[in-house]
């Protein structure tokens, strides 16, 4: 299983999650986890609440079509505001990063 993680404003990531759930290529093939981040700095100039979204995809389903659809939705989210990719990673640390399932696409 591959997990793609992104960090951004909570509202933007919620929209991204709804778009993923509505996308015909991604609906039912991804598991989404949205985690709010705690802001430690009170003097932060950021006005929005930040969160991370983890998008889990079964490795056998990680096709080019699915990856392209996910990439397009993330780019739309970036148009709305900052979204940082934390990178794809295998679900288990025991998986070989050099294997096709663990390699970054």
């Amino acid at each position: 299983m591959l997990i793609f993680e992104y960090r951004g404003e909570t509202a933007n990531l919620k929209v991204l999650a709804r778009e993923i759930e509505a996308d015909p290529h991604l609906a039912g093939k991804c598991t989404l986890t949205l985690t709010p981040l705690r802001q430690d700095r009170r003097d932060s100039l950021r006005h929005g609440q930040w969160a991370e979204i983890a998008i889990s995809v079964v490795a056998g389903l990680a096709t080019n079509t699915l990856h392209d659809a996910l990439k397009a939705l993330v780019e739309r989210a970036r148009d709305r505001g900052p979204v940082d990719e934390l990178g794809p990673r295998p679900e288990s640390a025991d998986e070989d990063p050099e294997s096709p399932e663990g390699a970054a696409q």
Side-chain angles (χ1 to χ4, degrees), residues 23-37:
D23 186 276
H25 298 293
L26 301 171
K29 297 177 181 81
C30 299
T31 303
L32 305 170
T33 306
L34 188 67
T35 307
L37 296 177

Side-chain angles (χ1 to χ4, degrees), residues 72-95:
L73 291 177
V74 169
E75 287 303 317
R76 282 177 49 179
R78 285 188 175 125
D79 288 343
R80 290 188 297 264
V83 175
D84 298 322
E85 183 172 3
L86 303 178
R89 63 172 172 86
E91 181 181 32
S92 166
D94 297 335
E95 291 183 28

Side-chain angles (χ1 to χ4, degrees), residues 17 36-37 42 44 53 69-70 87 91:
L37 296 177
R42 292 183 184 194
S44 175
I53 188 169
L70 180 59
E91 181 181 32

